[in-house]
Amino acid sequence: MSYDALQKMINESHKIVFFGGAGVSTESGIPDFRSTDGLYRQNYDYPPETILSRTFFDRNPKEFYRFYRSKMLVLDKQPNPAHLKLAQWEKEGRLIGVVTQNIDGLHQAAGSKRVFELHGSIHRNYCMRCRKFYTPEFIRDTDDPIPHCTCGGTIKPDVVLYEEGLDQEVLSGAVHVLSKADMLIVAGTSLTVYPAAGLVRYFNGKHLVLINRDPTPMDASCDLVIHDSVGKVLGSLA
Ligand code: ZN
């Protein structure tokens, strides 16, 4: 029933924007680092929020990279039906942008071009001294516990750490597509964390849809809410 309603909204929309959170990637087998498992506690002395802060990166890059390489630098995962459907819609001229809180690059891997990565990407890494770029494979494969540039500078992943601000260009690009959208699909996020809740306010189109496994505080203000996995829902659409 709700799938039919969703299909109908999509059929009459031409400027769809998708706003995705961690739940979109978990269906590709990428765990949300915030949901700490038992094994995690045996391996690290600090909570992930501490390790993934700028202060920690600057003071203890070796421990940062030990965590980053094992938990964040995921390079062997594939796009799921949600990523693929969004790329297809963009190709058909039905979707004008994907705004994501994920850093895994799976939307681009699926073929999406207009992706606004609010929290950066593991696929870009740069030398903090000379700005030379490095591939994620280099970060993974180098024997150096702290990846270093040929100039001697420390390499930092282009991901937004705690205490760091969002990239203003990415943010304004996201605001721009959201304000132009006629339909917004929010998925895989509880919308309680910054900047998700604030960004959704820029949408003033016709259909606001939320796809999330669990209820969120936003449920009541959406036109359609589907409590299911986003890959399953989008994968079943035409
Ligand atoms: Zn350098």
Side-chain angles (χ1 to χ4, degrees):
M1 185 60 193
S2 51
Y3 281 37
D4 291 345
L6 177 59
Q7 182 74 65
K8 191 164 171 285
M9 288 177 182
I10 286 160
N11 291 348
E12 58 186 53
S13 300
H14 302 92
K15 291 177 181 175
I16 301 170
V17 167
F18 179 86
F19 190 116
V24 180
S25 291
T26 49
E27 290 172 40
S28 283
I30 297 174
D32 182 358
F33 67 85
R34 291 180 195 83
S35 56
T36 50
D37 51 29
L39 283 173
Y40 163 81
R41 294 213 166 271
Q42 294 170 24
N43 289 319
Y44 300 94
D45 295 333
Y46 312 88
E49 290 77 9
T50 301
I51 299 175
L52 295 171
S53 70
R54 182 55 193 257
T55 303
F56 195 90
F57 176 84
D58 289 335
R59 288 184 188 161
N60 199 346
K62 194 174 167 183
E63 183 67 359
F64 170 89
Y65 268 113
R66 189 168 78 88
F67 180 87
Y68 180 81
R69 283 193 178 101
S70 91
K71 299 282 179 190
M72 314 291 286
L73 191 57
V74 181
L75 296 173
D76 61 341
K77 302 299 185 194
Q78 302 301 319
N80 64 53
H83 297 106
L84 296 170
K85 185 63 70 178
L86 296 166
Q88 180 199 320
W89 287 344
E90 184 181 353
K91 222 173 176 182
E92 293 169 356
R94 181 178 288 288
L95 178 139
I96 58 170
V98 170
V99 181
T100 182
Q101 297 179 287
N102 300 325
I103 59 173
D104 47 54
L106 288 181
H107 286 292
Q108 290 91 335
S112 286
K113 307 285 183 213
R114 297 202 73 196
V115 184
F116 300 90
E117 297 172 305
L118 296 174
H119 295 160
S121 173
I122 60 168
H123 292 271
R124 298 183 301 266
N125 307 273
Y126 65 93
C127 169
M128 294 169 73
R129 189 186 290 170
C130 76
R131 298 271 144 180
K132 183 178 171 186
F133 268 78
Y134 286 85
T135 65
E137 289 79 12
F138 175 85
I139 305 296
R140 181 190 63 192
D141 297 338
T142 178
D143 292 330
D144 198 344
I146 304 165
H148 282 95
C149 177
T150 47
C151 83
T154 299
I155 299 169
K156 182 182 176 291
D158 192 10
V159 300
V160 179
L161 302 178
Y162 290 103
E163 301 164 0
E164 289 183 321
L166 301 187
D167 183 291
Q168 286 306 307
E169 217 170 290
V170 175
L171 195 57
S172 59
V175 167
H176 181 71
V177 285
L178 280 163
S179 64
K180 278 177 47 175
D182 58 5
M183 175 172 183
L184 174 61
I185 303 174
V186 179
T189 170
S190 62
L191 278 171
T192 48
V193 274
Y194 172 85
L199 275 174
V200 169
R201 282 193 225 111
Y202 288 95
F203 172 72
N204 53 28
K206 200 169 171 201
H207 303 302
L208 177 55
V209 178
L210 182 69
I211 305 170
N212 202 54
R213 282 178 169 279
D214 307 307
T216 80
M218 270 272 298
D219 283 16
S221 47
C222 293
D223 301 311
L224 177 66
V225 178
I226 301 178
H227 289 146
D228 208 335
S229 93
V230 59
K232 188 177 148 200
V233 175
L234 294 195
S236 70
L237 296 172

